[in-house]
Amino acid sequence: VELLSNTLILVFLSGFLLIFLSFISNYGNRISKNKLLNILTTFSITGYAIPGIILAVAFITFISWFDENVFYFFDIKQIFIGSIIGLVIVYFVRFYSLANNGIKSGYLKINYSIDESAYLLGYSKLKTFLNIHVPYLKNSVLLIAILLSIEIIKELPITLIMRPFNFETFATQAYLFASQDLLEAAAAPSLILIMIASIFILITSKYMFKDK
């Protein structure tokens, strides 16, 4: 139960942050068409190409340098290193490309004339986003959420380095048992990981089939 709750906490926090900020960045690009914002968004998706262990070590190094050279009277390392906050931030850098590209591909299917028609009918930009874009992109969001969930629950290097003390997930528990040659003990969390991923995929497939 503890492993399941820890894993789901990471999935919900990271997934919500990734999808929420991907919506904001893509909608901002859509209504502003700012080249600088587009360049920053493109640059931000490069994290998926970097191995997780390198991202985790780079984050710890940056926070340590920032703490020693900028924050002299306040220790920020205890907030970002060995905490859920730091873990979610590194997850964000690692998997933002999945969320961003998924939302972006969904937005490409929405013609700009739909937005213009909504504005002519008196809809504000916020109302257009909430009443038109979000419902239209619900299938894309569901698929992105499933992909992110699967990636997060099986992510090992980042979780091992960044997790709080005595905070274990199914992936880290399976690794710890396997590293001690306790293969029988490692089988249980490994099988549960497979079950969770399978449930996510089945729910998505059933929902999409029902929607069609």
Side-chain angles (χ1 to χ4, degrees), residues 130-166:
L130 294 175
N131 293 352
I132 297 177
H133 295 174
V134 173
Y136 188 88
L137 295 171
K138 62 181 180 180
N139 284 342
S140 298
V141 171
L142 181 62
L143 287 174
I144 294 166
I146 295 300
L147 289 175
L148 289 174
S149 300
I150 294 173
E151 289 285 351
I152 291 169
I153 63 175
K154 71 182 182 65
E155 175 61 37
L156 181 60
I158 292 175
T159 313
L160 275 176
I161 296 174
M162 298 298 303
R163 77 191 194 280
F165 182 71
N166 279 340

Short mmCIF file of all heavy atoms in Angstrom, two decimals, residues 130-166:
data_model
loop_
_atom_site.label_atom_id
_atom_site.label_comp_id
_atom_site.label_asym_id
_atom_site.label_seq_id
_atom_site.Cartn_x
_atom_site.Cartn_y
_atom_site.Cartn_z
N LEU A 130 -11.56 27.09 -22.36
CA LEU A 130 -12.22 26.16 -21.46
C LEU A 130 -13.37 25.40 -22.12
O LEU A 130 -13.56 24.20 -21.85
CB LEU A 130 -12.75 26.91 -20.22
CG LEU A 130 -11.69 27.53 -19.31
CD1 LEU A 130 -12.34 28.33 -18.20
CD2 LEU A 130 -10.77 26.46 -18.73
N ASN A 131 -14.14 26.07 -22.97
CA ASN A 131 -15.36 25.47 -23.54
C ASN A 131 -15.17 24.81 -24.89
O ASN A 131 -16.02 24.03 -25.32
CB ASN A 131 -16.46 26.53 -23.66
CG ASN A 131 -16.94 27.02 -22.31
OD1 ASN A 131 -16.58 26.47 -21.27
ND2 ASN A 131 -17.75 28.06 -22.30
N ILE A 132 -14.07 25.13 -25.57
CA ILE A 132 -13.85 24.57 -26.91
C ILE A 132 -12.58 23.73 -26.97
O ILE A 132 -12.61 22.56 -27.36
CB ILE A 132 -13.80 25.69 -27.97
CG1 ILE A 132 -15.14 26.41 -28.03
CG2 ILE A 132 -13.43 25.13 -29.34
CD1 ILE A 132 -15.19 27.59 -28.97
N HIS A 133 -11.45 24.32 -26.56
CA HIS A 133 -10.18 23.61 -26.71
C HIS A 133 -10.07 22.41 -25.78
O HIS A 133 -9.68 21.32 -26.21
CB HIS A 133 -9.02 24.58 -26.45
CG HIS A 133 -8.91 25.67 -27.46
ND1 HIS A 133 -8.02 26.71 -27.37
CD2 HIS A 133 -9.60 25.88 -28.61
CE1 HIS A 133 -8.14 27.50 -28.40
NE2 HIS A 133 -9.10 27.04 -29.16
N VAL A 134 -10.37 22.62 -24.50
CA VAL A 134 -10.21 21.53 -23.52
C VAL A 134 -11.09 20.32 -23.86
O VAL A 134 -10.60 19.19 -23.87
CB VAL A 134 -10.48 22.04 -22.10
CG1 VAL A 134 -10.48 20.88 -21.10
CG2 VAL A 134 -9.44 23.07 -21.69
N PRO A 135 -12.41 20.50 -24.15
CA PRO A 135 -13.22 19.34 -24.53
C PRO A 135 -12.73 18.66 -25.81
O PRO A 135 -12.76 17.43 -25.93
CB PRO A 135 -14.62 19.93 -24.73
CG PRO A 135 -14.63 21.16 -23.90
CD PRO A 135 -13.25 21.71 -23.99
N TYR A 136 -12.26 19.46 -26.77
CA TYR A 136 -11.79 18.89 -28.03
C TYR A 136 -10.53 18.05 -27.83
O TYR A 136 -10.33 17.05 -28.53
CB TYR A 136 -11.52 20.01 -29.04
CG TYR A 136 -11.22 19.53 -30.43
CD1 TYR A 136 -12.24 19.30 -31.35
CD2 TYR A 136 -9.91 19.28 -30.84
CE1 TYR A 136 -11.97 18.85 -32.62
CE2 TYR A 136 -9.63 18.82 -32.11
CZ TYR A 136 -10.67 18.61 -33.00
OH TYR A 136 -10.39 18.16 -34.26
N LEU A 137 -9.70 18.45 -26.88
CA LEU A 137 -8.42 17.78 -26.69
C LEU A 137 -8.46 16.71 -25.59
O LEU A 137 -7.41 16.23 -25.17
CB LEU A 137 -7.35 18.82 -26.32
CG LEU A 137 -7.01 19.85 -27.40
CD1 LEU A 137 -6.11 20.93 -26.83
CD2 LEU A 137 -6.35 19.18 -28.59
N LYS A 138 -9.65 16.32 -25.14
CA LYS A 138 -9.74 15.40 -24.01
C LYS A 138 -9.11 14.04 -24.33
O LYS A 138 -8.48 13.42 -23.47
CB LYS A 138 -11.18 15.23 -23.57
CG LYS A 138 -12.11 14.65 -24.63
CD LYS A 138 -13.54 14.55 -24.10
CE LYS A 138 -14.47 13.96 -25.17
NZ LYS A 138 -15.87 13.85 -24.67
N ASN A 139 -9.28 13.55 -25.57
CA ASN A 139 -8.67 12.27 -25.93
C ASN A 139 -7.14 12.37 -25.94
O ASN A 139 -6.44 11.46 -25.50
CB ASN A 139 -9.17 11.80 -27.29
CG ASN A 139 -10.57 11.24 -27.22
OD1 ASN A 139 -11.05 10.89 -26.15
ND2 ASN A 139 -11.25 11.16 -28.35
N SER A 140 -6.63 13.49 -26.47
CA SER A 140 -5.18 13.71 -26.47
C SER A 140 -4.64 13.76 -25.05
O SER A 140 -3.59 13.19 -24.74
CB SER A 140 -4.84 15.00 -27.22
OG SER A 140 -5.23 14.94 -28.56
N VAL A 141 -5.37 14.45 -24.16
CA VAL A 141 -4.94 14.57 -22.77
C VAL A 141 -4.93 13.20 -22.10
O VAL A 141 -4.02 12.87 -21.33
CB VAL A 141 -5.86 15.54 -22.01
CG1 VAL A 141 -5.56 15.51 -20.51
CG2 VAL A 141 -5.69 16.95 -22.54
N LEU A 142 -5.93 12.39 -22.39
CA LEU A 142 -6.00 11.05 -21.79
C LEU A 142 -4.81 10.20 -22.23
O LEU A 142 -4.16 9.53 -21.40
CB LEU A 142 -7.31 10.37 -22.16
CG LEU A 142 -7.53 8.97 -21.58
CD1 LEU A 142 -7.58 9.02 -20.06
CD2 LEU A 142 -8.80 8.35 -22.13
N LEU A 143 -4.51 10.22 -23.51
CA LEU A 143 -3.37 9.45 -24.01
C LEU A 143 -2.06 9.95 -23.42
O LEU A 143 -1.18 9.17 -23.05
CB LEU A 143 -3.32 9.53 -25.54
CG LEU A 143 -4.38 8.73 -26.29
CD1 LEU A 143 -4.31 9.03 -27.79
CD2 LEU A 143 -4.22 7.24 -26.05
N ILE A 144 -1.92 11.28 -23.33
CA ILE A 144 -0.71 11.85 -22.74
C ILE A 144 -0.58 11.43 -21.28
O ILE A 144 0.50 11.08 -20.81
CB ILE A 144 -0.73 13.38 -22.86
CG1 ILE A 144 -0.65 13.80 -24.32
CG2 ILE A 144 0.42 14.01 -22.09
CD1 ILE A 144 -1.01 15.24 -24.56
N ALA A 145 -1.69 11.48 -20.55
CA ALA A 145 -1.67 11.09 -19.14
C ALA A 145 -1.24 9.64 -18.97
O ALA A 145 -0.47 9.32 -18.05
CB ALA A 145 -3.05 11.32 -18.52
N ILE A 146 -1.71 8.77 -19.86
CA ILE A 146 -1.32 7.36 -19.78
C ILE A 146 0.16 7.19 -20.06
O ILE A 146 0.89 6.49 -19.33
CB ILE A 146 -2.15 6.53 -20.76
CG1 ILE A 146 -3.62 6.56 -20.36
CG2 ILE A 146 -1.64 5.10 -20.83
CD1 ILE A 146 -3.91 6.01 -19.00
N LEU A 147 0.66 7.85 -21.12
CA LEU A 147 2.08 7.75 -21.46
C LEU A 147 2.96 8.29 -20.34
O LEU A 147 3.97 7.68 -19.98
CB LEU A 147 2.36 8.51 -22.76
CG LEU A 147 1.82 7.89 -24.05
CD1 LEU A 147 2.06 8.83 -25.24
CD2 LEU A 147 2.50 6.54 -24.31
N LEU A 148 2.58 9.43 -19.79
CA LEU A 148 3.35 10.02 -18.69
C LEU A 148 3.33 9.11 -17.46
O LEU A 148 4.36 8.93 -16.80
CB LEU A 148 2.79 11.39 -18.33
CG LEU A 148 3.01 12.52 -19.34
CD1 LEU A 148 2.27 13.77 -18.90
CD2 LEU A 148 4.49 12.82 -19.51
N SER A 149 2.17 8.54 -17.16
CA SER A 149 2.06 7.65 -16.00
C SER A 149 2.99 6.45 -16.14
O SER A 149 3.69 6.07 -15.19
CB SER A 149 0.61 7.19 -15.83
OG SER A 149 -0.25 8.29 -15.62
N ILE A 150 2.98 5.85 -17.33
CA ILE A 150 3.83 4.68 -17.56
C ILE A 150 5.30 5.06 -17.44
O ILE A 150 6.12 4.33 -16.86
CB ILE A 150 3.52 4.05 -18.92
CG1 ILE A 150 2.09 3.49 -18.92
CG2 ILE A 150 4.52 2.95 -19.27
CD1 ILE A 150 1.62 3.00 -20.27
N GLU A 151 5.69 6.19 -18.02
CA GLU A 151 7.08 6.64 -17.96
C GLU A 151 7.51 6.93 -16.52
O GLU A 151 8.62 6.57 -16.11
CB GLU A 151 7.27 7.89 -18.82
CG GLU A 151 7.20 7.66 -20.32
CD GLU A 151 8.45 7.00 -20.86
OE1 GLU A 151 9.45 6.89 -20.11
OE2 GLU A 151 8.45 6.60 -22.03
N ILE A 152 6.64 7.57 -15.76
CA ILE A 152 7.00 7.96 -14.40
C ILE A 152 7.10 6.76 -13.46
O ILE A 152 8.03 6.67 -12.66
CB ILE A 152 5.98 8.99 -13.86
CG1 ILE A 152 6.13 10.32 -14.62
CG2 ILE A 152 6.18 9.22 -12.37
CD1 ILE A 152 5.02 11.31 -14.35
N ILE A 153 6.15 5.83 -13.56
CA ILE A 153 6.18 4.70 -12.61
C ILE A 153 7.37 3.77 -12.87
O ILE A 153 7.81 3.07 -11.95
CB ILE A 153 4.87 3.88 -12.66
CG1 ILE A 153 4.66 3.24 -14.03
CG2 ILE A 153 3.69 4.73 -12.26
CD1 ILE A 153 3.46 2.33 -14.10
N LYS A 154 7.91 3.78 -14.10
CA LYS A 154 9.05 2.90 -14.38
C LYS A 154 10.39 3.64 -14.39
O LYS A 154 11.43 3.02 -14.60
CB LYS A 154 8.85 2.17 -15.71
CG LYS A 154 8.95 3.04 -16.95
CD LYS A 154 8.68 2.23 -18.20
CE LYS A 154 8.82 3.07 -19.46
NZ LYS A 154 10.20 3.53 -19.68
N GLU A 155 10.36 4.96 -14.17
CA GLU A 155 11.60 5.74 -14.16
C GLU A 155 12.43 5.38 -12.92
O GLU A 155 11.96 5.51 -11.80
CB GLU A 155 11.29 7.23 -14.17
CG GLU A 155 12.51 8.12 -14.04
CD GLU A 155 13.51 7.94 -15.16
OE1 GLU A 155 13.09 7.73 -16.33
OE2 GLU A 155 14.72 8.00 -14.87
N LEU A 156 13.67 4.93 -13.15
CA LEU A 156 14.50 4.46 -12.03
C LEU A 156 15.62 5.41 -11.65
O LEU A 156 15.72 5.79 -10.48
CB LEU A 156 15.06 3.08 -12.36
CG LEU A 156 15.92 2.43 -11.28
CD1 LEU A 156 15.13 2.25 -10.00
CD2 LEU A 156 16.48 1.10 -11.76
N PRO A 157 16.52 5.84 -12.58
CA PRO A 157 17.67 6.66 -12.14
C PRO A 157 17.28 7.94 -11.42
O PRO A 157 17.85 8.27 -10.38
CB PRO A 157 18.40 6.95 -13.47
CG PRO A 157 17.98 5.88 -14.40
CD PRO A 157 16.56 5.55 -14.02
N ILE A 158 16.33 8.70 -12.00
CA ILE A 158 15.93 9.96 -11.37
C ILE A 158 15.33 9.71 -9.99
O ILE A 158 15.65 10.41 -9.02
CB ILE A 158 14.92 10.70 -12.27
CG1 ILE A 158 15.59 11.17 -13.55
CG2 ILE A 158 14.32 11.90 -11.53
CD1 ILE A 158 14.64 11.80 -14.54
N THR A 159 14.48 8.69 -9.88
CA THR A 159 13.83 8.40 -8.61
C THR A 159 14.83 7.96 -7.55
O THR A 159 14.74 8.36 -6.38
CB THR A 159 12.76 7.32 -8.80
OG1 THR A 159 11.95 7.63 -9.93
CG2 THR A 159 11.87 7.21 -7.57
N LEU A 160 15.80 7.15 -7.93
CA LEU A 160 16.82 6.68 -6.99
C LEU A 160 17.64 7.83 -6.42
O LEU A 160 17.95 7.87 -5.23
CB LEU A 160 17.75 5.68 -7.66
CG LEU A 160 17.32 4.21 -7.71
CD1 LEU A 160 18.32 3.40 -8.51
CD2 LEU A 160 17.16 3.64 -6.31
N ILE A 161 17.99 8.79 -7.28
CA ILE A 161 18.87 9.88 -6.85
C ILE A 161 18.11 10.98 -6.12
O ILE A 161 18.59 11.51 -5.11
CB ILE A 161 19.60 10.47 -8.08
CG1 ILE A 161 20.52 9.41 -8.70
CG2 ILE A 161 20.41 11.71 -7.71
CD1 ILE A 161 21.16 9.83 -10.00
N MET A 162 16.91 11.31 -6.59
CA MET A 162 16.21 12.50 -6.10
C MET A 162 15.19 12.21 -5.01
O MET A 162 14.69 13.14 -4.38
CB MET A 162 15.49 13.19 -7.27
CG MET A 162 16.40 13.71 -8.37
SD MET A 162 17.55 14.98 -7.79
CE MET A 162 16.41 16.20 -7.13
N ARG A 163 14.84 10.97 -4.77
CA ARG A 163 13.74 10.67 -3.84
C ARG A 163 14.10 11.03 -2.41
O ARG A 163 15.28 11.02 -2.03
CB ARG A 163 13.36 9.20 -3.94
CG ARG A 163 14.31 8.24 -3.22
CD ARG A 163 13.99 6.80 -3.59
NE ARG A 163 14.64 5.85 -2.71
CZ ARG A 163 15.90 5.47 -2.81
NH1 ARG A 163 16.68 5.98 -3.74
NH2 ARG A 163 16.40 4.56 -1.97
N PRO A 164 13.11 11.34 -1.58
CA PRO A 164 13.38 11.57 -0.15
C PRO A 164 13.86 10.29 0.54
O PRO A 164 13.71 9.18 0.01
CB PRO A 164 12.01 12.02 0.40
CG PRO A 164 11.22 12.44 -0.79
CD PRO A 164 11.71 11.61 -1.94
N PHE A 165 14.39 10.46 1.73
CA PHE A 165 14.89 9.32 2.50
C PHE A 165 13.74 8.38 2.84
O PHE A 165 12.67 8.82 3.29
CB PHE A 165 15.57 9.82 3.77
CG PHE A 165 16.16 8.72 4.60
CD1 PHE A 165 17.28 8.03 4.18
CD2 PHE A 165 15.59 8.38 5.81
CE1 PHE A 165 17.82 7.02 4.95
CE2 PHE A 165 16.12 7.37 6.60
CZ PHE A 165 17.24 6.68 6.17
N ASN A 166 13.96 7.09 2.62
CA ASN A 166 12.96 6.05 2.89
C ASN A 166 11.68 6.20 2.05
O ASN A 166 10.61 5.73 2.45
CB ASN A 166 12.58 6.02 4.38
CG ASN A 166 13.61 5.27 5.21
OD1 ASN A 166 14.38 4.48 4.68
ND2 ASN A 166 13.64 5.54 6.50
#
